[in-house]
């Protein structure tokens, strides 16, 4: 028997490649079973490695889950950041940013499901709270690229922009979660409704800014807010 008949030795993966394989398997397992419904045993079996090898890379299931969150959200924020650098008028930037966001949700449905399906779980709540803060900060930063929305030195104006960023960020996350359960709805329709909703909210703020320091608050809600601030 010649040496040509012997099987080639299995190539050993590098540590970074093994870590990537574990993360890929963990993403599949977590997306199906959720955080508490998944075990390190299942992840090890899916990755084709031992539990001991997983613990060489991640100290706990919580750390592994957190690494996955960082990976997915890092990818999303990178896409949004690249979209923001393209410039354009505010309506164009808004639509492009929302298209980028919902394209990620559509292309990476299981990743998005994994991120938010355990939102009420106390073991991952801190990670998701950190994500919410990052998302709000990103929305506020994108809003600041619009000269009519950029916060002034007035603390109240800065607070208003922050509150609007929190609302818009939460609304888009909720719409994305709804879309997971209604995948038959075309992405263009989801983006169109998101643009309408978001532009309506920011348009009110533009109107207030256009009035200048002595602006009047037209809507009942804004009148009530103004009365409360002056009381």
């Amino acid at each position: 028997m010649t040496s040509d008949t012997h099987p080639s030795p299995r190539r050993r993966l590098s540590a970074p490649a093994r870590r990537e394989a574990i993360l890929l398997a963990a993403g599949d397992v977590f997306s199906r079973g959720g955080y508490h419904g998944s075990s390190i045993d299942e992840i090890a079996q899916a990755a084709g490695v031992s539990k001991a090898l997983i613990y060489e890379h991640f100290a706990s299931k919580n750390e592994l889950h957190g690494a996955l969150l960082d990976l997915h959200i890092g990818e999303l924020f990178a896409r949004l950041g690249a979209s923001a650098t393209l410039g354009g008028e505010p309506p164009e930037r808004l639509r492009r940013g929302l298209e980028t966001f919902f394209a990620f949700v559509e292309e990476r449905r299981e990743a998005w499901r994994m991120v938010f399906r355990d939102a009420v779980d106390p073991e991952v709540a801190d990670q998701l709270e950190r994500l919410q803060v990052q998302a709000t900060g990103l929305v506020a930063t994108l809003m600041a690229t619009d000269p009519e929305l950029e916060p002034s030195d007035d603390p109240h104006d800065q607070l208003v922009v922050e509150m609007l960023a929190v609302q818009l960020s939460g609304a888009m996350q909720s719409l994305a979660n709804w879309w997971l359960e209604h995948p038959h709805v075309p992405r263009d329709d989801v983006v169109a409704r998101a643009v309408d909703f978001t532009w309506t909210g920011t348009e009110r703020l533009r109107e207030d800014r256009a009035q200048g320091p002595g602006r009047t608050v037209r809507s009942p809600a804004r009148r009530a807010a103004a009365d409360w601030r002056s009381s």
Side-chain angles (χ1 to χ4, degrees):
M1 181 178 292
T2 67
S3 60
D4 292 340
T5 62
H6 290 288
S8 300
R10 188 173 183 179
R11 189 177 66 176
R12 182 180 178 86
L13 291 178
S14 66
R18 180 64 70 193
R19 177 185 172 89
E20 183 178 352
I22 292 171
L23 285 169
L24 182 63
D28 290 338
V29 173
F30 281 132
S31 67
R32 292 194 305 269
Y35 181 78
H36 275 298
S38 303
S39 69
I40 292 293
D41 286 310
E42 290 178 277
I43 295 169
Q45 183 177 5
V49 301
S50 66
K51 285 176 60 177
L53 184 58
I54 290 181
Y55 284 123
E56 287 183 17
H57 291 272
F58 305 97
S60 64
K61 184 174 75 169
N62 185 266
E63 183 177 304
L64 174 54
H65 190 272
L68 270 171
L69 286 181
D70 289 340
L71 183 67
H72 295 323
I73 300 308
E75 179 187 348
L76 172 59
F77 284 2
R79 291 193 191 190
L80 291 171
S83 171
T85 63
L86 297 177
E89 294 300 313
E92 178 186 357
R93 290 200 304 271
L94 172 63
R95 177 173 290 278
R96 188 171 60 236
L98 290 171
E99 285 176 344
T100 299
F101 171 72
F102 285 105
F104 174 87
V105 175
E106 184 174 50
E107 295 165 15
R108 310 280 276 118
R109 284 184 182 273
E110 293 310 311
W112 183 263
R113 191 185 302 276
M114 192 222 84
V115 170
F116 283 99
R117 71 178 301 162
D118 298 304
V120 298
D121 193 307
E123 290 195 49
V124 298
D126 288 345
Q127 296 169 336
L128 292 173
E129 183 177 357
R130 175 169 52 85
L131 164 62
Q132 181 65 53
V133 170
Q134 290 176 313
T136 299
L138 177 61
V139 172
T141 299
L142 294 175
M143 289 170 60
T145 63
D146 183 345
E148 296 180 353
L149 295 181
E150 184 177 4
S152 67
D153 293 333
D154 184 342
H156 175 258
D157 280 351
Q158 296 173 359
L159 189 62
V160 168
V161 170
E162 182 179 348
M163 288 191 292
L164 183 57
V166 169
Q167 294 176 78
L168 295 180
S169 173
M172 294 307 104
Q173 290 174 24
S174 295
L175 181 57
N177 291 339
W178 175 88
W179 193 29
L180 287 180
E181 307 304 324
H182 301 80
H184 61 281
V185 179
R187 188 174 81 203
D188 286 348
D189 287 355
V190 176
V191 171
R193 301 290 76 76
V195 168
D196 289 345
F197 174 85
T198 305
W199 191 257
T200 297
T202 57
E203 191 172 41
R204 293 291 180 86
L205 184 55
R206 288 187 186 89
E207 290 175 0
D208 277 356
R209 291 288 174 83
Q211 298 298 314
R215 59 182 180 266
T216 57
V217 183
R218 298 185 183 86
S219 73
R222 284 185 286 171
R223 283 199 301 271
D227 293 341
W228 175 81
R229 290 198 303 271
S230 62
S231 62

